[in-house]
Amino acid sequence: MNQQPKNLKEALKNKLSKKDFKFAPKAYDSFGNIAIIEIPKELEKQKKIICDTLLEIQPRFETICSIESNHEGKFRIQKVKIISGKKQKIALYKESGCSLEIPLGEVFFSPRLSNERLRIAKEIKENEIVGAWFSGVGPYPIVFAKNSKMKQAIAIELNPKGHEYAIKNAKLNKINDEKIIFIKGDVKKQFKKFPKHFHRIAMPLPHTGYQFLKEAFYCIKPKGIIHFYEIIEKGNFDLPLKQIKETANEQNRKIKIIRKAVVRQFSPTKEQIVFDIQLTN
Ligand SMILES: C[S@@+](CC[C@H](N)C(=O)[O-])C[C@H]1O[C@@H](n2cnc3c(N)ncnc32)[C@H](O)[C@@H]1O
């Protein structure tokens, strides 16, 4: 009897040599109709076999792309290459009742933060004004619009492609024009328009987000909440905590950390974390 393989690794068992099989990947990221997979350098020549196999065992995917770089530059873009299936790079992805079009290789997007987006959406109270900074193709403000009773989100994104798709995605989800205001621009320049304006700000810009903490303290209302993300060596919450406390002090704002948690594994030694910072003045 022909049994379906449990996962990609198992499906590759009879297709790779014993030596190569040791490096066979198990995991991949699903972007709806497109999957992207990191192929270890030891299996460079087996890329096609691996991607064809994934397409075979997961017919919901039309296209399989390989990851060709880390997330790089100020737009945090990851290069991807089509290896198997249809020649397309626009992913049609769904999460929390929202549909998103994502031009892979031109914008940042991670499906691994979907739980985090929904968690925040559920915490948003009626009539809140939310800062969705570093908004990319719009997943944070769009998930908030569909899953909360917020009054409005202000979404700010520097990458023109991200901004273009965020507007497209809001339309795709039939979100009222006043519900999300999309601004193409730099948070460093835009923040001045919003003194003590937001009940809540989401700051999904790990690595350099701490450089925008001053702006977040300027824009958050008394008693507001900032969701601040960072990448740390596993368990080492101290450095971002120090940056948060120092910046709050400099800005004469009093804070309480109401949550610190790991949101996803980033590498074998690093993890992405979130601090929920509640203002007490
Ligand atoms: C880690 S990505 C998050 C994107 C999106 N929120 C998501 O979760 O898919 C960070 C985003 O911030 C944008 N960005 C970087 N620096 C910025 C700045 N100074 N002002 C506005 N956006 C910026 C990048 O282009 C990128 O799209």
Side-chain angles (χ1 to χ4, degrees):
M1 202 174 73
N2 240 350
Q3 273 211 333
Q4 269 297 97
K6 276 206 303 284
N7 55 40
L8 176 61
K9 187 155 182 155
E10 196 180 293
L12 288 167
K13 195 157 191 176
N14 299 322
K15 302 198 181 187
L16 298 178
S17 70
K18 223 174 174 178
K19 183 171 141 257
D20 286 344
F21 183 69
K22 281 197 299 214
F23 302 104
K26 226 194 282 181
Y28 49 87
D29 273 324
S30 164
F31 290 71
N33 55 336
I34 304 182
I36 69 170
I37 179 161
E38 185 164 8
I39 312 269
K41 60 180 183 326
E42 291 83 358
L43 298 183
E44 189 60 33
K45 291 196 179 124
Q46 279 71 28
K47 241 181 201 174
K48 180 84 175 117
I49 298 177
I50 296 168
C51 292
D52 283 352
T53 305
L54 179 53
L55 198 60
E56 213 176 278
I57 63 164
Q58 293 288 357
R60 68 197 159 111
F61 297 131
E62 297 168 344
T63 304
I64 313 293
C65 295
S66 64
I67 292 176
E68 299 292 322
S69 76
N70 292 328
H71 288 102
E72 287 167 349
K74 59 182 177 186
F75 298 157
R76 311 300 304 148
I77 290 172
Q78 182 168 59
K79 290 192 194 106
V80 298
K81 189 171 162 190
I82 299 168
I83 306 293
S84 305
K86 261 201 204 169
K87 303 271 174 269
Q88 58 177 357
K89 280 193 185 168
I90 310 285
L92 304 170
Y93 165 86
K94 285 195 167 66
E95 85 173 45
S96 304
C98 307
S99 301
L100 298 172
E101 282 192 18
I102 306 158
L104 298 176
E106 297 186 81
V107 295
F108 175 96
F109 180 79
S110 173
R112 297 187 193 188
L113 294 170
S114 58
N115 289 344
E116 190 52 20
R117 291 187 269 267
L118 189 59
R119 172 185 78 88
I120 296 175
K122 286 182 174 163
E123 289 180 13
I124 294 175
K125 298 187 187 70
E126 194 166 351
N127 278 329
E128 276 194 16
I129 299 177
V130 180
W133 290 4
F134 318 112
S135 45
V137 298
Y140 279 79
I142 291 171
V143 169
F144 296 167
K146 283 269 175 185
N147 296 278
S148 81
K149 291 186 174 167
M150 71 172 183
K151 182 170 182 190
Q152 187 175 65
I154 309 280
I156 309 177
E157 170 57 47
L158 196 58
N159 179 351
K161 227 358 152 206
H163 174 73
E164 179 193 325
Y165 271 80
I167 292 174
K168 224 185 214 188
N169 286 328
K171 286 202 169 56
L172 190 64
N173 289 281
K174 301 192 170 51
I175 290 166
N176 194 310
D177 282 354
E178 284 86 61
K179 198 76 174 170
I180 310 174
I181 306 298
F182 291 100
I183 300 176
K184 174 163 68 80
D186 187 334
V187 167
K188 278 273 173 220
K189 295 186 182 144
Q190 298 294 329
F191 81 98
K192 284 210 178 84
K193 297 178 191 161
F194 304 104
K196 296 199 175 164
H197 186 77
F198 299 109
H199 294 95
R200 184 183 301 272
I201 302 175
M203 298 179 68
L205 185 69
H207 298 292
T208 50
Y210 67 92
Q211 295 169 1
F212 296 83
L213 272 170
K214 191 171 114 205
E215 288 74 13
F217 285 122
Y218 178 87
C219 295
I220 195 83
K221 281 183 190 290
K223 310 267 158 55
I225 293 176
I226 300 169
H227 303 281
F228 173 75
Y229 295 86
E230 190 49 287
I231 307 281
I232 59 166
E233 292 295 334
K234 280 188 177 173
N236 192 357
F237 286 82
D238 291 355
L239 177 63
L241 189 57
K242 187 165 170 267
Q243 287 164 334
I244 293 166
K245 285 183 174 163
E246 280 177 5
T247 315
N249 252 335
E250 284 159 19
Q251 301 300 307
N252 292 319
R253 303 299 300 268
K254 299 230 174 324
I255 58 163
K256 195 163 85 185
I257 303 294
I258 52 173
R259 186 169 187 270
K260 63 172 192 187
V262 175
V263 294
R264 67 167 174 142
Q265 294 309 311
F266 181 74
S267 74
T269 58
K270 292 183 177 176
E271 54 200 6
Q272 182 168 351
I273 51 134
V274 64
F275 280 99
D276 290 353
I277 308 164
Q278 165 106 62
L279 276 288
T280 56
N281 71 345

